[in-house]
Amino acid sequence: MPLLYAVGFVLALLVGVAGLALLLGLSVAAAALGAVATAVFTVVVVPLAVCRALLGVLRDDELGHLRVAPPDPTPPGRDPGYLGYYFGPAWHDYALATSRGAAEARARTVGRVGRTAPKGQSTLDWLGLLWHVPDELDSWGLLLGKIIVGGGVLGGLVGLVAGGLLAGVFLAVTMATYGLLLGALGALLLVICTVLRLFELGLLRLRRVTVECPSCHDRVAVPVYECPNCQELHRRLVPGSMGILARTCRCGEELPTLLGHGRSRLRAHCGRDSCRGVLPLGALTVPTLHVPLVAGEAAGKTVYTMAAIADLTHAPNGATGSIGFDFGDEPTRERFAEVSDALRNIAAVAPTLASAPLRAATFYLGSAPRKLVYLYDAAGESYQTSDGVSTLRFLGTTAGVLLIVDPFALAPVRTRLEDDGVPLPPHSVEPPSSVAARLTRALREQRALSAEKRIDVPVAVVLTKCDVLIGGGQVRHPYEGLHLAIDEPGTGVAFRFGAVEEWLQAAGEGGFVRDLRAHYRWIGYFAVSALDAFGTRDHPSARSGQPVRNDPPSAPLQWLLAASSGRPE
């Protein structure tokens, strides 16, 4: 009997051990299967969850996180335009996608977190449900089911950790790679913007194209451009963070960022906050020619300026022909419209007041090459003292001078005509030689030139009010009696220059003529009358009856245009 009991005990023990081993084997198998299944599931589900978050960001209708819209009101240093996507907003999308992807992955693995979590249960929730399965199966013993299912749950936890680590490494590498590519793309776009900007600046420098403010006379490095739709100002309309070839204004208008792409057609302003003067339309597209009118008070500078412009506008095919004239800005057009009718009655043209702010008249002149002309009609009082001349800032950019000579400012001429009883118009009493001497000193100081070196600025000496010289008296017109020689082929402008030069010498201005020769490389002489503003014609001389034709009022300007290009006629 004891042997029988012993055998039974051993058999029972063996059966128990075998059952326990089988139970443990099942538990281990469940653990292995759970670990592998959960790891694979996690490695697949986590990237899918992140991708879903990325797509959600891209499809998001709320764009506030991108911070692309300009603030309202626009602070100093920030233009009222929208930021380009790859110059900031892309990084905000990247940060939001990363945070949402992390929250989505965590919600899919360990539980719902915040508003970004998906609906439904996480992997950890499913493992919890698996642990309670034996409680709901009446056919299993509770302990037996717990041991087997516990292995699966334990393996699932291990697989969850392993799969999470693998998915985390994969996502970290993926997001880091995306960040590097995004940074490289942003850097490439910045390089493109820089290259475009340098190319435009280099082209302007090569062509010697600049723009100066007609109001404050400062050189404008970066004009301020006005949106044609909402009139807001853009301080730096260049390729950059708001767009490469174009930017979008706050109002939705697209503005080109390059001159060749249409920026030159926008209304431009001076870059100084204290000025904001209107710049010529189309500035920075052609070289400039800065021309001051130099003379004493009441010499007729304003009348000559408007007469020259009238001559250009009324020349045959002046706008599109060989002369090639067009107004540079609306203030010049409006000023000429106000004065043009008064030119038919010269006495009605108001003089330039010394207290009035000086704004240059601007217009395009020539066809090949075409230049933007700035004509500075400063009050004559500015040229009557050395201190007054030194305050004229535009002299620093002078490329040509219109030296206006009032014939009645010359004492011998004035005396002889008064003796003859010829009525004289309002005239200057400042000798042109004194005015020219002050101008020469100012130009030499600004250019740091020695007294021996001639000034490389062409000077057009313009003898005005020549209609009075035709009317009678002892003083003849420079071209009177020379009409046959002037009209002969081959005489050219040099013959006319010589005639005016000889007239000045005969009027006692030989020293003035010699000083000009000593100080300037190019000098031209012209005899004009504002009566020819709307067409040059022959005027019969009251002394001889012979026809006398003045130079067109625009001739000095056209000569300066040619001389500044290195080809004076």
Side-chain angles (χ1 to χ4, degrees), residues 227-250:
C227 174
N229 185 46
C230 67
Q231 286 73 53
E232 285 212 65
L233 299 180
H234 293 253
R235 299 171 184 84
R236 290 190 59 83
L237 188 57
V238 295
S241 60
M242 295 185 186
I244 299 177
L245 298 179
R247 76 166 53 163
T248 303
C249 180
R250 186 201 314 277

Side-chain angles (χ1 to χ4, degrees), residues 311 496 527-529 531-539 548-555:
D311 184 38
R496 302 174 79 94
V528 303
S529 169
L531 296 181
D532 295 322
F534 301 98
T536 306
R537 61 188 185 278
D538 290 337
H539 302 275
V548 178
R549 182 181 290 267
N550 294 309
D551 292 307
S554 64

